[in-house]
Amino acid sequence: MKILVPIKRVPDPALKTKVKDGAIDLTGANWVVNPFDEYAVETALRLLENGEAGARVAGAEIVVVTIGPEDAAQQLRSALATGADRAIRVDAEDKALDAGVVVAALVQIIAAEKPDLVILGKQAVDGDANQVGQMLAGKLGWAQATFAASVELAADQKSVLVGREVDAGVEYKRIGTPGILTVDLRIVSPHSVKNNVTPATFAYPDGPRYASLKGIMAAKKKPMDVKKLSDYGVTTTPVTREVGIELPAARAAGQIVADIPTLVKKLADEAKAI
Amino acid sequence: MLRQTVRDLTREIVEPQAMAHDESGTMNRGLLRKLGELGLLGVTIPEADGGAGLDATASVIVHEELAYSDPGFALAYLAHALLFVNNFYWAASPAQRAKYLPRTLTGEWIGGMGMTEPSVGTDVLGMQTVARKVGDEYVLDGRKIFITNAVEGDVFCAYAKLDERITTFVVERGTPGFSTSDKIPKMGMRASTMGELIFDGCRLPAGNLLGREGGGITNMMRNLEIERLGLAAMSLGIARRCLDVMVAYSMERRAFGQPLHELGQIQRYIGESFAKTEAIRALTYGVAATVSPDSRNRLGTDAAKLFAATAAKEVADAAVQVLGGYGYCAEYRVEQFLRDAKLIEIGGGTIEAHQKNITRDLTRR
């Protein structure tokens, strides 16, 4: 089985974002793999291994792809270090991309690679657009299951049963392969991914795995293809445009009131909460 | 990528446990095990023997990043990965490696090293622990003190004098005549424990001789440089953390109607702390690039640790001062980093020992 995982680099969400002249100031930014894409890589790894034995299923392959500048190779290496087998970087400047361009490129990459599953993060934490997975399924005419909180690969590997957390509970949906899966946070819980190989009793640590030192060393030697958008015949140009970025207004300081009646009055008159 | 991995790991699993272990004065054994799973206990061990085969710079990166969140744990890590694993590896025979490496590389067994004695520290040649050869065995008598990981350790490299010549032995917990003390309460680095190794007619098989008889000084000197770099790297982690805390605080806190960082007196603390941190970084990484199993830099490593230890302590002290009352309290943890930083002026060679070594080397004709 072959799984393709598109990943995007984002500025480290754990650090404070600086806004300068109507744009996010990326000078000296610390780039990391979009967290939801890390979960996608982890999902692919868990689907194609015996987690208890720590061994990959025979014939399984995980290919990671990113579309971005030369520095973005670093994020692909991180995915290779945790266990992906091979990487493709399509060279492009961030400014030349939007969801439409990314999807156009992925459609061609998928045509060339013929994966059984494409697993993506539900969205990237920079733009929070939440579009690529759905658009990709639409363009390809493939089945999709978005915001996966759990997934089970059938023993014959012909379908996946996906649990999606919806307002009323958990919706289960079976899609055939090839298909598109986008994953949510809960997919990296200890028992969220099942593949009929790893014993059902096996509990993964919560969250995506850390690269081992051996994995980091091995990642340096794993293949990484570098392509251009034109190699895939992509002529699409971005249709979305960034107008401006501003920080939300600072929250006003709290007030301490003398008694309950004043509080009620303020809640009614000023906050209009009651 | 190594740095990013250790930094993520530190942020996500080392930081959240750090304060509790400083308070309780205990070492987090499970965390060391986790580092073992990721291969971080054998950074400097060749790949063929189950390590990562990386250099002194890689070891420095790991120590720096761990110390940013938990210097005490970083010290326990250093005692295990450098004082035991690295020290042991380069002196051991293939049979000894096969016996002790697998379990210490995973963290199943915790290691440590015994050099300092109750009445002999810097003056290491004056050590009083003695070994005698009795038939096929060595019999050790004496005591080692201030030994990091003594309380939890399963296996130690211990130095003793055999016919007046310093010799290294591997000692396992449970060996007849060998015991360890309770933990010794201490000022800082409380997320690692410290205790005594007690040899009272401790009988060791001949196979526990590490290297050759009288080869202890060679083993000790070979390992000393990477140890000093590890401690200098920990100083860097401490300084970086304290600088970050003081800068963030100076932007939030207001005094006299303006943010703290607008005040000239505070600017001096911040400016000097930044310069010291950068200087520790430049010196430590510069020297690390010159140290490998085949290349020595005694003068450089002495200088790096001498400078880094005091500079980091000063940066930690500046952080406490900038934060004022909040700095003196535990919440922001800078008081802990100040306590932790002090150790590096004493452990792994006192600053006076570095001063002496440097001067001796510079005045040698």
Side-chain angles (χ1 to χ4, degrees):
Chain A
M1 183 166 209
K2 182 170 176 177
I3 299 180
L4 186 89
V5 185
I7 65 175
K8 184 182 185 183
R9 64 168 196 167
V10 296
D12 192 340
L15 304 179
K16 206 169 176 175
T17 309
K18 285 185 226 154
V19 173
K20 195 174 154 192
D21 306 328
I24 292 173
D25 181 11
L26 294 171
T27 24
N30 185 37
W31 295 96
V32 298
V33 179
N34 170 41
F36 289 111
D37 297 346
E38 276 192 304
Y39 308 155
V41 173
E42 178 67 25
T43 307
L45 291 166
R46 290 188 190 182
L47 282 174
L48 298 184
E49 70 183 4
N50 181 331
E52 191 168 74
R56 184 66 69 79
V57 170
E61 187 180 25
I62 298 170
V63 182
V64 286
V65 181
T66 200
I67 306 175
E70 200 173 346
D71 299 353
Q74 184 68 35
Q75 282 68 49
L76 287 174
R77 293 274 174 222
S78 307
L80 294 173
T82 55
D85 302 291
R86 183 156 77 72
I88 302 169
R89 181 175 70 83
V90 183
D91 191 56
E93 286 307 311
D94 292 326
K95 281 195 171 56
L97 300 173
D98 70 354
V101 180
V102 168
V103 168
L106 289 176
V107 165
Q108 298 303 321
I109 293 168
I110 289 164
E113 292 288 339
K114 300 185 177 55
D116 301 290
L117 271 179
V118 179
I119 307 182
L120 308 91
K122 66 168 182 174
Q123 67 200 59
V125 299
D126 50 1
D128 280 326
N130 187 349
Q131 291 180 329
V132 171
Q134 294 88 333
M135 285 169 67
L136 193 57
K139 288 277 186 194
L140 292 166
W142 285 11
Q144 61 172 314
T146 55
F147 316 137
S150 70
V151 59
E152 179 172 351
L153 178 64
D156 65 2
Q157 302 198 340
K158 300 282 191 228
S159 68
V160 284
L161 179 66
V162 177
R164 310 173 66 236
E165 291 181 351
V166 292
D167 288 347
V170 181
E171 174 190 78
Y172 286 93
K173 180 170 174 177
R174 184 177 293 280
I175 63 167
T177 56
I180 306 280
L181 199 65
T182 81
V183 297
D184 205 343
L185 168 67
R186 212 104 49 197
I187 199 74
V188 289
S189 301
H191 296 284
S192 290
V193 179
K194 297 203 166 17
N195 64 355
N196 285 296
V197 176
T198 301
T201 49
F202 180 73
Y204 277 99
D206 216 349
R209 67 197 62 189
Y210 296 99
S212 70
L213 220 45
K214 277 205 172 68
I216 293 173
M217 305 299 288
K220 293 180 182 164
K221 294 171 198 144
K222 289 182 178 175
M224 184 182 303
D225 281 345
V226 181
K227 301 280 195 182
K228 294 194 285 289
L229 282 171
S230 57
D231 293 341
Y232 294 106
V234 176
T235 52
T236 318
T237 49
V239 293
T240 52
R241 182 166 67 84
E242 191 175 291
V243 179
I245 299 248
E246 54 188 73
L247 291 173
R251 199 187 290 188
Q255 300 177 23
I256 294 174
V257 294
D259 50 31
I260 301 285
T262 322
L263 173 67
V264 173
K265 192 168 160 40
K266 277 182 177 286
L267 283 175
D269 298 348
E270 289 177 30
K272 311 239 183 276
I274 49 174
Chain B
M1 196 176 345
L2 171 65
R3 184 183 296 281
Q4 188 65 45
T5 303
V6 182
R7 187 170 289 186
D8 289 347
L9 173 92
T10 300
R11 185 160 73 193
E12 289 155 19
I13 66 175
V14 179
E15 180 73 29
Q17 55 82 55
M19 238 176 133
H21 282 275
D22 174 60
E23 278 167 23
S24 62
T26 53
M27 191 267 236
N28 189 341
R29 204 170 172 140
L31 187 58
L32 196 75
R33 194 78 197 261
K34 177 78 190 166
L35 263 51
E37 278 173 30
L38 298 174
L40 289 166
L41 303 183
V43 173
T44 52
I45 306 305
E47 279 185 88
D49 288 301
L54 293 175
D55 57 9
T57 301
S59 167
V60 164
I61 290 172
V62 177
H63 284 89
E64 178 196 340
E65 295 299 330
L66 289 175
Y68 184 86
S69 276
D70 194 344
F73 177 76
L75 185 70
Y77 169 79
L78 182 145
H80 178 87
L82 295 183
L83 303 189
F84 183 80
V85 176
N86 190 70
N87 195 5
F88 165 82
Y89 178 83
W90 297 104
S93 67
Q96 289 171 326
R97 287 174 183 172
K99 185 170 180 194
Y100 292 110
L101 260 191
R103 279 183 286 195
T104 48
L105 285 177
T106 56
E108 184 189 344
W109 275 21
I110 293 178
M113 185 267 284
M115 182 149 46
T116 300
E117 301 186 351
S119 50
V120 187
T122 300
D123 176 21
V124 63
L125 299 182
M127 73 171 54
Q128 291 166 3
T129 299
V130 291
R132 285 174 292 124
K133 190 148 193 184
V134 180
D136 278 348
E137 292 183 327
Y138 295 99
V139 179
L140 269 63
D141 282 287
R143 276 163 71 195
K144 300 287 174 183
I145 199 167
F146 311 139
I147 307 307
T148 299
N149 292 351
V151 179
E152 296 85 2
D154 301 287
V155 61
F156 300 89
C157 288
Y159 295 94
K161 271 188 178 168
L162 178 71
D163 300 333
E164 290 303 307
R165 295 178 308 161
I166 293 179
T167 304
T168 320
F169 299 92
V170 193
V171 186
E172 275 178 52
R173 184 173 294 280
T175 305
F178 172 63
S179 60
T180 56
S181 71
D182 289 341
K183 72 178 174 191
I184 304 170
K186 54 183 176 164
M187 170 181 177
M189 296 290 191
R190 291 170 46 85
S192 60
T193 63
M194 187 172 83
E196 289 184 48
L197 307 182
I198 302 154
F199 304 96
D200 184 9
C202 167
R203 292 153 57 114
L204 294 171
N208 285 42
L209 168 71
L210 196 57
R212 56 182 173 76
E213 291 185 359
I217 293 288
T218 314
N219 299 344
M220 198 185 287
M221 293 303 161
R222 189 196 297 119
N223 212 54
L224 213 51
E225 296 178 357
I226 199 161
E227 292 167 26
R228 291 173 183 155
L229 284 170
L231 289 160
M234 285 172 54
S235 301
L236 176 55
I238 291 172
R240 245 182 59 212
R241 170 62 169 258
C242 291
L243 178 67
D244 285 354
V245 173
M246 89 174 90
V247 169
Y249 184 85
S250 76
M251 291 163 72
E252 284 167 10
R253 170 81 181 204
R254 297 177 70 85
F256 304 105
Q258 54 188 343
L260 222 51
H261 66 81
E262 303 273 345
L263 300 171
Q265 286 167 305
I266 300 299
Q267 289 171 355
R268 179 173 180 181
Y269 286 123
I270 292 176
E272 290 185 350
S273 296
F274 176 76
K276 283 172 190 164
T277 307
E278 289 299 301
I280 301 172
R281 189 196 318 278
L283 181 55
T284 304
Y285 282 96
V287 172
T290 68
V291 171
S292 75
D294 319 313
S295 136
R296 308 272 307 265
N297 187 350
R298 188 169 68 180
L299 202 50
T301 53
D302 263 312
K305 182 171 166 292
L306 170 64
F307 177 76
T310 303
K313 186 193 73 177
E314 289 167 357
V315 174
D317 193 13
V320 172
Q321 194 64 28
V322 167
L323 270 68
Y326 289 103
Y328 196 71
C329 295
E331 182 187 351
Y332 285 85
R333 298 190 56 210
V334 286
E335 60 82 27
Q336 179 205 324
F337 281 82
L338 176 57
R339 288 186 280 113
D340 291 348
K342 178 63 196 175
L343 177 273
I344 304 175
E345 288 192 330
I346 300 169
T350 57
I351 50 177
E352 291 74 19
H354 301 311
Q355 291 157 356
K356 174 178 76 81
N357 294 345
I358 289 171
T359 308
R360 187 191 56 205
D361 279 11
L362 292 180
T363 54
R364 184 174 287 163
R365 289 162 194 263

